[in-house]
Structure formats: C-alpha cells, structure tokens
Amino acid sequence: MKFILDILRGIVIGLANIIPGVSGGTMMVSMGIYDTIIYCITHVFKQLVKSIKILLPYLIGMLLGIGGGALVLSYLFKAYNLPTNTAFIGLILGGIPAIAKHMDKKKLNKFTIGIGILFFALIIAMQALKVQGGASRVLTPSVFTMILMVFVGAIASSTMIIPGVSGSMVMVLLGFYDSLLGSVSKFINALKSFDFAMLVQEGLILLPFAIGVILGIFFVSKLIEYLLKNHFTATYCGILGLVLASPIVVLLNANFASVTLWQGIVSPITLAIGYFIAKKLADEDSHTGGEAA
C-alpha cells in the first residue's frame, strides 16, 4: 500500500515540476517526504539498496506525472485554468500543518522567523519583477546541444528541489520550456508509434538533460542536507516562507480573464480536494514513520 501511495506522491511532484510557478520541492515538503528524499539522494552511494528502494516509487510516479502532464496539463490550463491552479494551491496548503510539526517551537526566535519572512518576500519579489521568457529555442541533436542540455538540466533540477522555486519557470525564462515539453511529447508519441528515428532524435536531447538533472539534484541535496543537519529550525522557517509564498505565485500566474461562472464555483471544490489529498498523503507518511534510508 505504501508503495502505491509513494507513486501517487511522485506523480504530484512530477506534475508540479512541469507547471511554471509551482515547485516540486514544495510538493515534497507538503507531503512530508522532503527530509527522506534529501537523505536518500545524498546517501545513495553509501546505502544504495535502501536508498533505491525508497526512491523508486517516487521516481516512477514522477516519470508518470511528467509524461502524463506533458500531454494533459497544457489542455487543462487552457480550458480550466483557475480550477486547475486552485487544485495545486490546495495541494500546497494541505501540507503546511506537516511543515509546522517539523519545527522546534523552542528554537523559534526573531532570527529564524526573520528568515521565513525574508524568503517569503524574496519569492513574491521575484514573481513581481519577473521578465518575459526568451524566445523558445529550437533543439536539434548535436554535440553542442547535448552539452548544453546537461547544464540546463543541472540548473532546472537545482531549482526543482528547492521549495517555492519553480524549475519550470526558470526554463521559461531561459527559453527552453516549450522546446523541452515538446521533446517529451514527441518522445512519448514516438514510443506509441514505434518511431525509432524519432526516439533517437529526442532521446539525444532528453538523455543529457536527464543526466544534468541527476547531477544538479545530488549536489543541491548535499547543501540542503547540511543546512537541515546544522540549522534545522532556521532552514524549515525558510522553507515555510517559500511554501507560504507559493499559492500567491500560482494565483498571480492564473488566467482570470478566461474564468467563467461555473469555474468560479468549481475552483473552491478543487482547492478543497487538493488540500485533502496533500493532507492525507502527509498524514499517511507520518503514520508510516517517513521511512529513512
């Protein structure tokens, strides 16, 4: 049962990572699995079997979420923008009680609270001052493109794993979002139609990107593990500030011009559903002890 629940958590993380303005790291925190994932990533070589056993369902879910999201989410955001956004706001808000439980109330002081406020303000400021993304880049297989994709993947993953910072938004700003999402869609369609030439072409773009993602996740996770080990309360205050800013960022990215009356009615329902799912997944993880490597 836990394996299935962890796959579902991975799907939520995968979906979040491809939505500009939403952070996969935020979803990890909201579902109470952030510390576990960070620990397993940084100890994957020391405790290989245990780390892989814990990370595997999350990875399966993330691949399903990213693959399915690339095909479905663009339609949902176009046709049902506000209800889709409020569902993710619910997913974020549903995990806040779990985050609060992590913090040692005795160690809260002006400094740690100030860190939370600073990170909250930083995310809002970044959103308010954001510039339009560059023109979408055309990606064709070449040695230069493959090397470039490694660096792009490392940048994307380092933001994906930090709560409140959207890796996909960074990809939009760099001009790679549409191109990479298109490559994922083409790769999936090539799998369906057994188009080997297209699989190779898109694979030469996506594989180096995936390598960069893995490298970025590993090194950023090392930094986060150090902060959690040596400055736990301050780090979680910062995380809470990032997470609390995320719903505001999502709303600022929502397309209110397309909202209809029935969407306005449905949106609070999707928010409540998202909240319930996140809280349920976080509660289930705490009941099972979070399973550390």
Side-chain angles (χ1 to χ4, degrees), residues 198-215:
M198 183 62 71
L199 281 173
V200 172
Q201 177 178 313
E202 300 306 324
L204 289 175
I205 294 171
L206 294 176
L207 181 59
F209 179 78
I211 292 171
V213 166
I214 293 169
L215 292 174

Side-chain angles (χ1 to χ4, degrees), residues 106-123:
K106 295 178 181 178
K107 293 186 178 180
L108 287 175
N109 52 45
K110 292 181 180 179
F111 173 73
T112 55
I113 294 172
I115 288 176
I117 295 172
L118 175 64
F119 277 89
F120 176 89
L122 178 64
I123 294 300

Side-chain angles (χ1 to χ4, degrees), residues 10 21 34 113 124 147 172 201 204 244 260 285:
Y34 193 70
I113 294 172
I124 300 301
I147 295 172
V172 170
Q201 177 178 313
L204 289 175
L244 288 173
T260 61
D285 190 73

Side-chain angles (χ1 to χ4, degrees), residues 30 90-91 94-95 97 101 274-284:
S30 294
L91 287 169
K101 289 179 183 178
Y275 181 92
F276 173 79
I277 291 173
K279 195 169 187 311
K280 185 69 175 176
L281 290 175
D283 289 344
E284 286 292 334

Side-chain angles (χ1 to χ4, degrees), residues 19-87:
I19 301 172
V22 183
S23 164
T26 300
M27 293 296 102
M28 294 178 201
V29 174
S30 294
M31 292 182 290
I33 57 175
Y34 193 70
D35 295 17
T36 299
I37 289 180
I38 294 294
Y39 184 90
C40 289
I41 291 171
T42 56
H43 290 76
V44 69
F45 297 114
K46 294 180 180 178
Q47 302 178 27
L48 181 62
V49 175
K50 283 189 176 182
S51 294
I52 290 177
K53 180 182 175 182
I54 294 171
L55 291 174
L56 182 61
Y58 299 128
L59 291 173
I60 292 172
M62 287 178 67
L63 290 174
L64 291 173
I66 291 171
L71 297 172
V72 175
L73 277 180
S74 57
Y75 167 76
L76 289 177
F77 274 100
K78 184 176 181 180
Y80 313 104
N81 188 273
L82 186 59
T84 306
N85 275 301
T86 52

Side-chain angles (χ1 to χ4, degrees), residues 260-275:
T260 61
L261 176 61
W262 81 265
Q263 286 189 29
I265 296 171
V266 169
S267 294
I269 298 174
T270 60
L271 187 147
I273 292 172
Y275 181 92

